[in-house]
Amino acid sequence: MQYILAIDQGTSSSRCMLYDRQARPVALAQQEFTQLFPAPGWVEHNAEEIWQTQVAVFRQVMSERQLRPADIAGIGITNQRETTVVWNRRTGKPIYNAIVWQDRRTADVCDRLIDAGLEAMVQAKTGLLIDAYFSATKVRWILDHVDGARAQAERGELAFGTVDTWLVWKLTQGELHITDVSNASRTMLYNIEQMRWDNDLLDLFGIPAAMLPTVKSSCEVYGLTSHPDVGEGMVIAALAGDQQAALFGQLCTEAGMAKCTYGTGSFLMMNTGAKRVHSNHRLLTTIAWQIGDEVVYALEGGVFIGGAVIQWLRDGLQLFEQASDCETLAGSVADNGGVFFVPALTGLGAPHWDSHARGAIFGITRGTTRAHITRAALESIAFQVDELLQTLAADSGEAVLQLRVDGGAAVNDLLVQFQADLAAIEVVRPDDLETTALGAAYLAGIALGWWRLDDLDEKWRVERSFHGTMTSDQVEGLKKQWRKAVARAKNWAE
Protein backbone atom coordinates (compact mmCIF):
# COMPACT_ATOMS: atom_id res chain seq x y z
CA MET A 1 0.00 0.00 0.00
CA GLN A 2 1.16 3.50 -0.83
CA TYR A 3 0.46 6.65 1.16
CA ILE A 4 0.26 10.39 0.70
CA LEU A 5 2.52 12.29 3.07
CA ALA A 6 1.38 15.74 4.18
CA ILE A 7 3.97 18.21 5.43
CA ASP A 8 2.21 20.78 7.62
CA GLN A 9 4.75 23.43 8.58
CA GLY A 10 3.02 25.74 11.03
CA THR A 11 3.90 28.80 13.07
CA SER A 12 4.63 26.96 16.29
CA SER A 13 5.35 23.40 15.16
CA SER A 14 6.36 21.19 12.25
CA ARG A 15 4.04 18.27 11.55
CA CYS A 16 3.91 15.31 9.26
CA MET A 17 0.89 13.11 8.53
CA LEU A 18 0.31 10.00 6.45
CA TYR A 19 -2.97 9.32 4.65
CA ASP A 20 -4.19 6.13 3.01
CA ARG A 21 -6.27 5.81 -0.17
CA GLN A 22 -9.46 6.45 1.80
CA ALA A 23 -7.94 9.76 3.00
CA ARG A 24 -7.78 8.40 6.54
CA PRO A 25 -4.87 9.55 8.75
CA VAL A 26 -2.67 6.63 9.73
CA ALA A 27 0.31 8.38 11.37
CA LEU A 28 1.13 11.78 12.86
CA ALA A 29 4.28 13.35 14.27
CA GLN A 30 4.70 16.87 15.59
CA GLN A 31 7.60 18.87 16.99
CA GLU A 32 7.60 22.42 18.32
CA PHE A 33 10.45 24.75 17.45
CA THR A 34 11.90 27.93 18.91
CA GLN A 35 9.97 31.21 18.81
CA LEU A 36 12.36 34.17 18.72
CA PHE A 37 11.38 37.65 19.94
CA PRO A 38 14.50 39.81 19.49
CA ALA A 39 12.66 43.11 20.08
CA PRO A 40 9.12 44.23 20.99
CA GLY A 41 6.80 43.39 18.10
CA TRP A 42 9.46 41.31 16.31
CA VAL A 43 8.91 37.58 15.71
CA GLU A 44 11.47 35.33 14.02
CA HIS A 45 12.16 31.66 13.32
CA ASN A 46 15.39 29.89 12.49
CA ALA A 47 14.73 28.56 8.97
CA GLU A 48 17.31 25.79 9.40
CA GLU A 49 15.53 24.68 12.58
CA ILE A 50 12.24 24.61 10.65
CA TRP A 51 13.89 22.27 8.15
CA GLN A 52 15.48 20.10 10.84
CA THR A 53 12.23 19.68 12.77
CA GLN A 54 10.41 18.88 9.54
CA VAL A 55 12.99 16.17 8.76
CA ALA A 56 12.63 14.80 12.30
CA VAL A 57 8.84 14.38 12.08
CA PHE A 58 9.14 12.95 8.57
CA ARG A 59 11.55 10.30 9.84
CA GLN A 60 9.30 9.58 12.81
CA VAL A 61 6.21 8.74 10.75
CA MET A 62 8.26 6.75 8.24
CA SER A 63 9.85 4.78 11.07
CA GLU A 64 6.54 4.16 12.86
CA ARG A 65 5.04 2.62 9.72
CA GLN A 66 8.35 1.06 8.62
CA LEU A 67 8.11 2.77 5.25
CA ARG A 68 10.61 3.54 2.50
CA PRO A 69 10.43 6.44 0.02
CA ALA A 70 8.95 4.01 -2.55
CA ASP A 71 5.92 3.64 -0.25
CA ILE A 72 5.09 7.35 -0.60
CA ALA A 73 2.96 8.03 -3.66
CA GLY A 74 3.32 11.77 -3.25
CA ILE A 75 3.90 14.67 -0.89
CA GLY A 76 1.58 17.62 -0.25
CA ILE A 77 3.01 20.67 1.49
CA THR A 78 1.09 23.29 3.45
CA ASN A 79 2.73 26.08 5.38
CA GLN A 80 2.53 29.16 7.56
CA ARG A 81 2.02 31.94 5.04
CA GLU A 82 3.79 35.29 4.58
CA THR A 83 6.75 34.21 6.74
CA THR A 84 9.80 35.29 4.77
CA VAL A 85 13.07 33.47 4.15
CA VAL A 86 16.00 34.87 2.12
CA TRP A 87 18.96 32.61 1.41
CA ASN A 88 22.12 32.42 -0.64
CA ARG A 89 21.59 30.37 -3.80
CA ARG A 90 25.11 28.96 -3.80
CA THR A 91 25.42 27.96 -0.14
CA GLY A 92 21.72 27.33 0.52
CA LYS A 93 22.09 29.17 3.83
CA PRO A 94 19.63 31.83 5.03
CA ILE A 95 21.22 35.26 5.37
CA TYR A 96 18.86 36.17 8.25
CA ASN A 97 16.27 34.47 10.43
CA ALA A 98 12.86 33.91 8.87
CA ILE A 99 10.69 36.96 9.63
CA VAL A 100 7.33 35.60 10.76
CA TRP A 101 3.94 36.77 9.53
CA GLN A 102 3.18 38.12 13.03
CA ASP A 103 6.20 40.45 12.95
CA ARG A 104 5.43 44.20 13.12
CA ARG A 105 8.88 45.75 12.57
CA THR A 106 7.87 47.23 9.21
CA ALA A 107 4.64 48.83 10.45
CA ASP A 108 6.08 52.34 10.07
CA VAL A 109 7.12 51.61 6.48
CA CYS A 110 3.56 50.50 5.77
CA ASP A 111 2.15 53.63 7.42
CA ARG A 112 4.26 55.82 5.12
CA LEU A 113 3.05 53.95 2.04
CA ILE A 114 -0.56 54.35 3.15
CA ASP A 115 -0.02 58.05 3.86
CA ALA A 116 1.39 58.37 0.33
CA GLY A 117 -1.96 57.17 -1.02
CA LEU A 118 -0.72 53.84 -2.39
CA GLU A 119 -3.09 51.42 -0.67
CA ALA A 120 -5.82 51.53 -3.35
CA MET A 121 -3.28 50.61 -6.05
CA VAL A 122 -1.85 47.76 -3.98
CA GLN A 123 -5.32 46.43 -3.15
CA ALA A 124 -6.42 46.57 -6.79
CA LYS A 125 -3.43 44.49 -7.87
CA THR A 126 -3.09 42.06 -4.96
CA GLY A 127 -6.41 42.02 -3.10
CA LEU A 128 -4.42 42.86 0.05
CA LEU A 129 -4.19 45.91 2.28
CA ILE A 130 -0.79 47.44 2.96
CA ASP A 131 0.36 45.84 6.19
CA ALA A 132 3.48 44.47 7.86
CA TYR A 133 1.71 41.09 7.89
CA PHE A 134 2.66 40.37 4.28
CA SER A 135 6.02 39.37 2.82
CA ALA A 136 6.99 42.39 0.70
CA THR A 137 8.16 44.73 3.45
CA LYS A 138 9.87 41.84 5.26
CA VAL A 139 12.01 41.11 2.19
CA ARG A 140 12.80 44.80 1.86
CA TRP A 141 13.83 44.98 5.53
CA ILE A 142 16.27 42.08 5.10
CA LEU A 143 17.79 43.64 1.98
CA ASP A 144 18.16 46.97 3.78
CA HIS A 145 19.54 45.66 7.08
CA VAL A 146 21.82 42.71 6.27
CA ASP A 147 25.27 43.84 5.13
CA GLY A 148 25.72 43.38 1.40
CA ALA A 149 22.31 41.78 0.90
CA ARG A 150 20.93 44.26 -1.61
CA ALA A 151 24.01 44.08 -3.82
CA GLN A 152 23.90 40.27 -3.67
CA ALA A 153 20.20 40.28 -4.58
CA GLU A 154 20.78 42.56 -7.56
CA ARG A 155 23.49 40.17 -8.77
CA GLY A 156 21.00 37.30 -8.61
CA GLU A 157 22.79 35.57 -5.73
CA LEU A 158 19.88 35.53 -3.27
CA ALA A 159 16.59 33.62 -3.31
CA PHE A 160 13.37 34.63 -1.57
CA GLY A 161 10.62 32.28 -0.57
CA THR A 162 7.80 31.70 1.83
CA VAL A 163 8.14 28.52 3.88
CA ASP A 164 6.73 26.26 1.15
CA THR A 165 9.43 27.50 -1.22
CA TRP A 166 12.16 26.98 1.39
CA LEU A 167 11.04 23.39 2.05
CA VAL A 168 10.85 22.47 -1.64
CA TRP A 169 14.30 23.98 -2.19
CA LYS A 170 15.66 21.84 0.64
CA LEU A 171 13.82 18.68 -0.42
CA THR A 172 15.21 18.98 -3.95
CA GLN A 173 18.64 20.34 -2.95
CA GLY A 174 18.04 23.56 -4.82
CA GLU A 175 16.69 22.08 -8.02
CA LEU A 176 13.26 23.66 -7.57
CA HIS A 177 12.68 27.29 -6.58
CA ILE A 178 8.87 27.42 -6.76
CA THR A 179 5.73 28.48 -4.93
CA ASP A 180 2.03 28.14 -5.70
CA VAL A 181 -0.57 30.80 -6.44
CA SER A 182 -2.10 30.68 -2.94
CA ASN A 183 1.22 31.53 -1.28
CA ALA A 184 2.26 34.00 -3.98
CA SER A 185 -1.00 35.89 -3.43
CA ARG A 186 0.06 36.57 0.18
CA THR A 187 3.34 38.33 -0.60
CA MET A 188 1.90 41.74 -1.67
CA LEU A 189 3.97 41.30 -4.84
CA TYR A 190 1.66 39.09 -6.95
CA ASN A 191 -1.00 40.45 -9.28
CA ILE A 192 -4.03 38.19 -8.74
CA GLU A 193 -5.82 39.51 -11.84
CA GLN A 194 -2.92 39.01 -14.26
CA MET A 195 -1.56 35.96 -12.36
CA ARG A 196 2.06 37.10 -12.33
CA TRP A 197 4.63 38.92 -10.24
CA ASP A 198 3.92 42.61 -10.62
CA ASN A 199 6.80 44.83 -11.78
CA ASP A 200 5.25 47.99 -10.33
CA LEU A 201 5.13 46.39 -6.88
CA LEU A 202 8.66 45.03 -7.17
CA ASP A 203 9.83 48.56 -7.94
CA LEU A 204 7.76 50.02 -5.10
CA PHE A 205 9.30 47.68 -2.53
CA GLY A 206 12.76 47.60 -4.09
CA ILE A 207 12.87 43.84 -4.63
CA PRO A 208 14.85 42.40 -7.57
CA ALA A 209 12.78 40.01 -9.70
CA ALA A 210 15.71 37.56 -9.76
CA MET A 211 14.98 36.66 -6.13
CA LEU A 212 11.48 35.37 -6.81
CA PRO A 213 10.33 31.76 -7.18
CA THR A 214 8.42 30.45 -10.20
CA VAL A 215 4.67 30.39 -9.49
CA LYS A 216 2.85 27.10 -10.08
CA SER A 217 -0.67 25.78 -9.59
CA SER A 218 -1.58 24.28 -6.21
CA CYS A 219 -1.93 20.79 -7.56
CA GLU A 220 0.55 19.26 -10.00
CA VAL A 221 3.64 17.09 -10.13
CA TYR A 222 6.47 19.59 -9.54
CA GLY A 223 9.44 17.25 -9.20
CA LEU A 224 11.13 14.65 -7.01
CA THR A 225 12.85 14.74 -3.64
CA SER A 226 16.62 14.26 -3.63
CA HIS A 227 17.83 15.27 -0.15
CA PRO A 228 19.62 12.40 1.64
CA ASP A 229 17.94 13.26 4.97
CA VAL A 230 14.53 12.27 3.57
CA GLY A 231 15.28 10.05 0.58
CA GLU A 232 15.15 10.23 -3.18
CA GLY A 233 12.39 9.90 -5.73
CA MET A 234 9.26 10.97 -3.83
CA VAL A 235 6.87 13.05 -5.93
CA ILE A 236 6.10 16.58 -4.67
CA ALA A 237 2.52 17.04 -5.84
CA ALA A 238 0.78 19.89 -3.94
CA LEU A 239 1.53 23.29 -2.42
CA ALA A 240 -0.96 25.47 -0.56
CA GLY A 241 -0.88 28.10 2.15
CA ASP A 242 -2.26 26.75 5.40
CA GLN A 243 -5.59 28.60 5.40
CA GLN A 244 -6.32 27.77 1.77
CA ALA A 245 -5.42 24.14 2.49
CA ALA A 246 -7.81 24.14 5.44
CA LEU A 247 -10.60 25.56 3.25
CA PHE A 248 -10.00 22.73 0.80
CA GLY A 249 -9.68 20.17 3.59
CA GLN A 250 -13.07 21.27 4.94
CA LEU A 251 -14.36 20.70 1.40
CA CYS A 252 -15.64 24.26 1.13
CA THR A 253 -15.40 23.83 -2.62
CA GLU A 254 -18.58 25.74 -3.54
CA ALA A 255 -18.95 29.52 -3.53
CA GLY A 256 -20.45 30.78 -0.26
CA MET A 257 -19.02 28.03 1.96
CA ALA A 258 -16.87 29.21 4.87
CA LYS A 259 -14.48 27.84 7.46
CA CYS A 260 -12.52 29.17 10.41
CA THR A 261 -9.23 27.69 11.55
CA TYR A 262 -8.36 28.24 15.20
CA GLY A 263 -4.60 27.91 15.21
CA THR A 264 -1.91 30.32 16.36
CA GLY A 265 -4.13 32.93 14.74
CA SER A 266 -7.76 32.56 13.71
CA PHE A 267 -8.54 32.71 10.01
CA LEU A 268 -12.00 32.97 8.50
CA MET A 269 -12.21 32.25 4.79
CA MET A 270 -15.12 32.10 2.36
CA ASN A 271 -14.96 30.54 -1.10
CA THR A 272 -16.13 33.06 -3.71
CA GLY A 273 -15.63 30.76 -6.70
CA ALA A 274 -14.16 31.99 -9.96
CA LYS A 275 -15.16 35.54 -9.05
CA ARG A 276 -12.79 37.90 -7.31
CA VAL A 277 -14.88 39.82 -4.74
CA HIS A 278 -13.54 43.24 -3.78
CA SER A 279 -13.77 43.98 -0.06
CA ASN A 280 -15.15 47.34 1.01
CA HIS A 281 -14.73 46.49 4.70
CA ARG A 282 -11.01 45.75 4.94
CA LEU A 283 -11.06 42.01 4.37
CA LEU A 284 -8.58 40.41 2.01
CA THR A 285 -9.26 39.06 -1.46
CA THR A 286 -6.97 36.12 -2.05
CA ILE A 287 -6.45 33.11 -4.28
CA ALA A 288 -7.79 29.96 -2.64
CA TRP A 289 -6.21 27.46 -5.05
CA GLN A 290 -5.63 26.60 -8.67
CA ILE A 291 -6.35 23.12 -10.03
CA GLY A 292 -5.47 22.79 -13.70
CA ASP A 293 -6.50 26.07 -15.31
CA GLU A 294 -9.28 26.79 -12.81
CA VAL A 295 -8.50 29.51 -10.27
CA VAL A 296 -10.73 29.81 -7.19
CA TYR A 297 -10.81 33.01 -5.12
CA ALA A 298 -11.73 33.66 -1.49
CA LEU A 299 -12.45 36.44 0.97
CA GLU A 300 -10.46 36.21 4.19
CA GLY A 301 -10.20 37.86 7.56
CA GLY A 302 -7.28 37.05 9.82
CA VAL A 303 -6.92 37.36 13.58
CA PHE A 304 -3.23 37.52 14.52
CA ILE A 305 -3.56 36.12 18.04
CA GLY A 306 -6.02 33.24 18.37
CA GLY A 307 -4.79 30.08 20.05
CA ALA A 308 -1.50 31.90 20.70
CA VAL A 309 -3.21 33.73 23.56
CA ILE A 310 -3.62 30.38 25.32
CA GLN A 311 0.04 29.61 24.67
CA TRP A 312 0.92 32.99 26.19
CA LEU A 313 -1.18 32.33 29.31
CA ARG A 314 0.62 29.00 29.66
CA ASP A 315 4.19 30.13 28.96
CA GLY A 316 4.15 33.86 29.75
CA LEU A 317 1.86 34.06 32.78
CA GLN A 318 2.13 30.35 33.69
CA LEU A 319 -1.55 30.16 34.64
CA PHE A 320 -1.64 26.44 33.78
CA GLU A 321 0.76 23.72 32.69
CA GLN A 322 -0.91 22.33 29.55
CA ALA A 323 -2.90 24.18 26.91
CA SER A 324 -5.61 21.56 27.33
CA ASP A 325 -6.06 22.70 30.95
CA CYS A 326 -7.50 26.05 29.86
CA GLU A 327 -11.00 24.73 29.13
CA THR A 328 -11.33 23.17 32.57
CA LEU A 329 -10.05 26.33 34.24
CA ALA A 330 -12.26 28.62 32.16
CA GLY A 331 -15.26 26.38 32.76
CA SER A 332 -14.78 26.54 36.52
CA VAL A 333 -16.48 29.96 36.55
CA ALA A 334 -19.97 30.71 35.26
CA ASP A 335 -18.86 33.65 33.11
CA ASN A 336 -15.99 36.06 32.56
CA GLY A 337 -16.79 38.06 35.70
CA GLY A 338 -16.85 41.27 33.67
CA VAL A 339 -13.30 40.72 32.36
CA PHE A 340 -12.54 41.39 28.67
CA PHE A 341 -9.19 40.49 27.15
CA VAL A 342 -8.07 42.14 23.90
CA PRO A 343 -5.19 39.89 22.72
CA ALA A 344 -3.50 42.45 20.47
CA LEU A 345 -0.09 41.05 21.37
CA THR A 346 1.15 41.70 17.83
CA GLY A 347 -1.38 44.33 16.81
CA LEU A 348 -4.91 43.80 15.48
CA GLY A 349 -5.68 42.17 12.14
CA ALA A 350 -8.94 42.35 10.19
CA PRO A 351 -11.08 44.36 10.20
CA HIS A 352 -9.09 46.88 12.31
CA TRP A 353 -5.58 46.56 10.81
CA ASP A 354 -3.97 48.41 13.70
CA SER A 355 -0.27 47.58 13.96
CA HIS A 356 0.01 49.83 16.99
CA ALA A 357 -2.69 48.18 19.12
CA ARG A 358 -1.43 46.20 22.10
CA GLY A 359 -2.87 43.58 24.40
CA ALA A 360 -5.05 44.72 27.28
CA ILE A 361 -7.23 43.21 30.00
CA PHE A 362 -10.18 45.29 31.21
CA GLY A 363 -12.66 44.91 34.05
CA ILE A 364 -10.31 43.47 36.67
CA THR A 365 -11.61 43.65 40.25
CA ARG A 366 -10.59 42.18 43.59
CA GLY A 367 -12.78 39.20 42.73
CA THR A 368 -10.99 38.46 39.46
CA THR A 369 -9.22 35.09 39.36
CA ARG A 370 -6.98 33.32 36.87
CA ALA A 371 -10.09 31.41 35.79
CA HIS A 372 -11.83 34.66 34.78
CA ILE A 373 -8.76 35.82 32.85
CA THR A 374 -8.50 32.44 31.11
CA ARG A 375 -12.18 32.49 30.21
CA ALA A 376 -11.86 36.05 28.89
CA ALA A 377 -8.90 34.96 26.78
CA LEU A 378 -10.87 32.07 25.29
CA GLU A 379 -13.83 34.33 24.63
CA SER A 380 -11.55 36.88 22.92
CA ILE A 381 -10.88 34.36 20.17
CA ALA A 382 -14.60 34.05 19.46
CA PHE A 383 -15.23 37.80 19.70
CA GLN A 384 -12.60 38.44 17.04
CA VAL A 385 -13.99 35.76 14.71
CA ASP A 386 -17.50 37.13 15.20
CA GLU A 387 -16.28 40.53 14.01
CA LEU A 388 -14.98 38.81 10.89
CA LEU A 389 -18.29 37.02 10.30
CA GLN A 390 -20.14 40.32 10.46
CA THR A 391 -17.65 41.93 8.09
CA LEU A 392 -17.81 39.00 5.68
CA ALA A 393 -21.60 39.29 5.52
CA ALA A 394 -21.32 43.02 4.78
CA ASP A 395 -18.83 42.38 1.94
CA SER A 396 -20.54 39.41 0.33
CA GLY A 397 -24.09 40.62 0.84
CA GLU A 398 -25.04 37.30 2.43
CA ALA A 399 -24.94 36.10 6.02
CA VAL A 400 -22.84 33.01 6.68
CA LEU A 401 -25.34 30.31 7.69
CA GLN A 402 -22.88 27.58 8.55
CA LEU A 403 -19.31 27.82 9.76
CA ARG A 404 -17.00 24.81 9.56
CA VAL A 405 -14.27 24.94 12.21
CA ASP A 406 -10.91 23.26 12.63
CA GLY A 407 -7.50 23.77 14.18
CA GLY A 408 -6.09 22.92 17.58
CA ALA A 409 -8.33 25.24 19.62
CA ALA A 410 -11.49 23.90 17.95
CA VAL A 411 -11.39 20.89 20.30
CA ASN A 412 -12.46 23.32 23.04
CA ASP A 413 -16.23 22.91 23.47
CA LEU A 414 -16.53 26.09 25.52
CA LEU A 415 -14.92 28.14 22.76
CA VAL A 416 -16.95 26.63 19.92
CA GLN A 417 -20.23 26.96 21.85
CA PHE A 418 -19.45 30.61 22.64
CA GLN A 419 -18.75 31.17 18.94
CA ALA A 420 -22.17 29.74 18.06
CA ASP A 421 -23.77 31.92 20.77
CA LEU A 422 -22.18 35.15 19.51
CA ALA A 423 -22.85 34.53 15.81
CA ALA A 424 -26.24 32.79 16.20
CA ILE A 425 -25.33 30.33 13.43
CA GLU A 426 -24.61 26.64 13.13
CA VAL A 427 -20.97 25.89 13.88
CA VAL A 428 -19.89 22.48 12.61
CA ARG A 429 -16.86 20.56 13.81
CA PRO A 430 -15.68 17.72 11.57
CA ASP A 431 -14.41 14.33 12.64
CA ASP A 432 -10.88 15.19 11.54
CA LEU A 433 -9.68 18.56 12.85
CA GLU A 434 -6.38 18.32 10.98
CA THR A 435 -7.96 19.81 7.88
CA THR A 436 -4.89 21.84 6.91
CA ALA A 437 -2.83 18.69 6.40
CA LEU A 438 -5.87 16.91 4.95
CA GLY A 439 -6.31 19.67 2.36
CA ALA A 440 -2.70 19.28 1.25
CA ALA A 441 -3.24 15.51 1.02
CA TYR A 442 -6.44 15.95 -1.01
CA LEU A 443 -4.66 18.26 -3.46
CA ALA A 444 -1.75 15.85 -3.82
CA GLY A 445 -4.18 12.97 -4.33
CA ILE A 446 -5.90 14.85 -7.15
CA ALA A 447 -2.54 15.55 -8.82
CA LEU A 448 -1.66 11.85 -8.54
CA GLY A 449 -5.00 10.70 -9.93
CA TRP A 450 -6.07 9.08 -6.65
CA TRP A 451 -9.24 11.15 -6.39
CA ARG A 452 -11.37 13.55 -8.37
CA LEU A 453 -12.78 16.69 -6.79
CA ASP A 454 -16.33 15.33 -7.07
CA ASP A 455 -15.35 12.20 -5.12
CA LEU A 456 -14.22 14.04 -2.00
CA ASP A 457 -17.57 15.18 -0.55
CA GLU A 458 -18.30 11.71 0.79
CA LYS A 459 -15.12 11.86 2.88
CA TRP A 460 -16.29 14.80 5.05
CA ARG A 461 -17.77 13.65 8.35
CA VAL A 462 -19.35 15.76 11.13
CA GLU A 463 -18.33 15.12 14.73
CA ARG A 464 -20.67 17.70 16.32
CA SER A 465 -22.80 20.74 15.50
CA PHE A 466 -23.21 23.70 17.87
CA HIS A 467 -26.13 26.14 17.96
CA GLY A 468 -26.53 29.42 19.83
CA THR A 469 -28.33 29.33 23.18
CA MET A 470 -27.97 32.95 24.43
CA THR A 471 -30.66 35.59 24.04
CA SER A 472 -30.03 38.47 21.66
CA ASP A 473 -29.91 40.88 24.62
CA GLN A 474 -27.20 38.81 26.31
CA VAL A 475 -25.16 38.69 23.11
CA GLU A 476 -25.47 42.39 22.39
CA GLY A 477 -24.44 43.26 25.96
CA LEU A 478 -21.27 41.20 25.61
CA LYS A 479 -20.46 42.64 22.17
CA LYS A 480 -20.93 46.20 23.46
CA GLN A 481 -18.34 45.64 26.17
CA TRP A 482 -15.98 43.96 23.71
CA ARG A 483 -16.17 46.91 21.30
CA LYS A 484 -15.41 49.28 24.17
CA ALA A 485 -12.36 47.21 25.16
CA VAL A 486 -11.03 47.07 21.59
CA ALA A 487 -11.40 50.83 21.17
CA ARG A 488 -9.26 51.40 24.26
CA ALA A 489 -6.52 48.98 23.17
CA LYS A 490 -6.07 50.59 19.76
CA ASN A 491 -3.13 52.80 18.74
CA TRP A 492 -1.28 52.15 22.00
CA ALA A 493 2.32 51.75 20.80
CA GLU A 494 4.03 54.87 19.52
Side-chain angles (χ1 to χ4, degrees):
M1 178 179 288
Q2 283 191 311
Y3 300 91
I4 288 175
L5 186 141
I7 289 174
D8 181 0
Q9 204 301 300
T11 307
S12 56
S13 68
S14 295
R15 301 155 67 85
C16 202
M17 296 187 70
L18 282 175
Y19 293 89
D20 64 17
R21 278 191 174 268
Q22 285 69 50
R24 292 177 302 209
V26 297
L28 163 66
Q30 177 173 346
Q31 186 171 319
E32 291 190 3
F33 54 88
T34 310
Q35 306 293 308
L36 304 169
F37 308 103
W42 293 27
V43 189
E44 296 177 359
H45 293 155
N46 182 321
E48 291 286 7
E49 186 184 5
I50 286 176
W51 165 248
Q52 290 158 7
T53 54
Q54 203 64 70
V55 169
V57 292
F58 169 85
R59 287 177 166 176
Q60 185 178 333
V61 296
M62 295 292 280
S63 175
E64 283 179 9
R65 302 294 297 190
Q66 297 184 316
L67 302 178
R68 301 163 301 160
D71 298 315
I72 303 302
I75 295 173
I77 298 174
T78 182
N79 57 285
Q80 54 166 316
R81 304 170 306 170
E82 298 96 17
T83 295
T84 297
V85 187
V86 176
W87 65 94
N88 184 292
R89 290 183 181 275
R90 182 178 58 81
T91 66
K93 299 294 184 183
I95 65 168
Y96 190 79
N97 280 335
I99 301 181
V100 180
W101 57 272
Q102 298 167 316
D103 189 281
R104 313 309 296 166
R105 77 187 66 187
T106 59
D108 290 343
V109 172
C110 294
D111 289 345
R112 290 195 291 273
L113 293 171
I114 292 168
D115 291 343
L118 294 167
E119 187 162 65
M121 180 271 285
V122 171
Q123 186 177 20
K125 289 174 177 287
T126 68
L128 309 177
L129 302 171
I130 294 177
D131 193 82
Y133 177 24
F134 306 109
S135 309
T137 58
K138 302 179 194 300
V139 181
R140 174 173 166 175
W141 188 95
I142 291 173
L143 295 183
D144 288 343
H145 289 82
V146 175
D147 286 345
R150 182 164 293 283
Q152 287 179 291
E154 289 171 353
R155 292 195 299 266
E157 296 170 6
L158 299 183
F160 151 68
T162 42
V163 172
D164 58 313
T165 302
W166 169 243
L167 291 177
V168 173
W169 175 279
K170 296 292 284 186
L171 286 166
T172 64
Q173 297 195 97
E175 182 180 340
L176 293 178
H177 183 211
I178 62 172
T179 189
D180 90 300
V181 292
S182 71
N183 279 293
S185 74
R186 310 297 298 191
T187 60
M188 213 157 59
L189 299 170
Y190 191 73
N191 190 313
I192 64 171
E193 288 283 356
Q194 300 177 0
M195 302 295 287
R196 61 172 178 81
W197 297 118
D198 191 282
N199 289 329
D200 293 339
L201 296 175
L202 294 177
D203 290 342
L204 176 64
F205 293 106
I207 297 171
M211 298 180 69
L212 302 176
T214 301
V215 183
K216 300 282 191 176
S217 76
S218 310
C219 175
E220 62 179 276
V221 173
Y222 309 110
L224 304 176
T225 63
S226 61
H227 199 288
D229 287 350
V230 295
E232 297 181 0
M234 290 176 289
V235 175
I236 303 171
L239 297 174
D242 53 8
Q243 301 313 315
Q244 289 94 329
L247 188 71
F248 198 80
Q250 285 275 31
L251 295 178
C252 295
T253 54
E254 300 293 331
M257 299 179 74
K259 70 86 196 175
C260 185
T261 298
Y262 299 86
T264 301
S266 299
F267 296 90
L268 178 68
M269 187 174 278
M270 174 189 275
N271 183 330
T272 63
K275 179 183 177 184
R276 173 188 171 176
V277 176
H278 176 81
S279 174
N280 293 312
H281 298 86
R282 301 184 69 73
L283 294 180
L284 306 176
T285 304
T286 197
I287 296 175
W289 53 75
Q290 179 183 353
I291 299 175
D293 294 328
E294 183 182 0
V295 177
V296 173
Y297 291 90
L299 275 175
E300 179 184 344
V303 169
F304 295 156
I305 299 293
V309 72
I310 304 304
Q311 189 180 47
W312 180 74
L313 291 182
R314 180 194 69 186
D315 301 338
L317 295 190
Q318 299 181 348
L319 296 190
F320 39 80
E321 290 187 0
Q322 304 290 333
S324 56
D325 296 336
C326 73
E327 183 174 6
T328 302
L329 183 58
S332 69
V333 289
D335 54 39
N336 63 21
V339 176
F340 287 80
F341 189 153
V342 183
L345 308 184
T346 57
L348 287 171
H352 307 285
W353 296 106
D354 186 345
S355 295
H356 303 289
R358 288 296 178 265
I361 304 174
F362 297 98
I364 298 171
T365 68
R366 285 285 298 272
T368 299
T369 67
R370 65 191 182 106
H372 291 112
I373 291 173
T374 301
R375 187 175 186 114
L378 264 183
E379 290 180 351
S380 76
I381 301 171
F383 277 122
Q384 292 176 99
V385 171
D386 182 68
E387 287 182 325
L388 297 179
L389 284 165
Q390 295 175 55
T391 308
L392 193 63
D395 260 338
S396 67
E398 297 181 18
V400 176
L401 301 178
Q402 182 195 78
L403 181 65
R404 298 183 175 188
V405 299
D406 55 75
V411 301
N412 191 307
D413 288 349
L414 191 155
L415 169 62
V416 181
Q417 181 59 57
F418 192 66
Q419 191 73 77
D421 288 335
L422 287 181
I425 61 173
E426 181 187 24
V427 180
V428 179
R429 188 167 64 193
D431 228 11
D432 185 357
L433 286 178
E434 303 297 339
T435 55
T436 303
L438 183 58
Y442 281 157
L443 287 166
I446 290 172
L448 296 166
W450 275 27
W451 307 304
R452 295 177 306 160
L453 186 58
D454 294 343
D455 299 332
L456 294 178
D457 281 340
E458 63 191 37
K459 301 184 186 302
W460 193 72
R461 292 177 292 275
V462 175
E463 183 261 325
R464 181 175 171 186
S465 289
F466 296 78
H467 298 269
T469 57
M470 287 185 180
T471 67
S472 57
D473 286 345
Q474 287 175 303
V475 170
E476 187 48 42
L478 288 166
K479 289 184 180 181
K480 180 180 178 181
Q481 290 295 99
W482 168 255
R483 290 192 292 267
K484 186 193 297 186
V486 170
R488 293 181 180 181
K490 282 186 168 183
N491 198 32
W492 180 264
E494 295 294 337

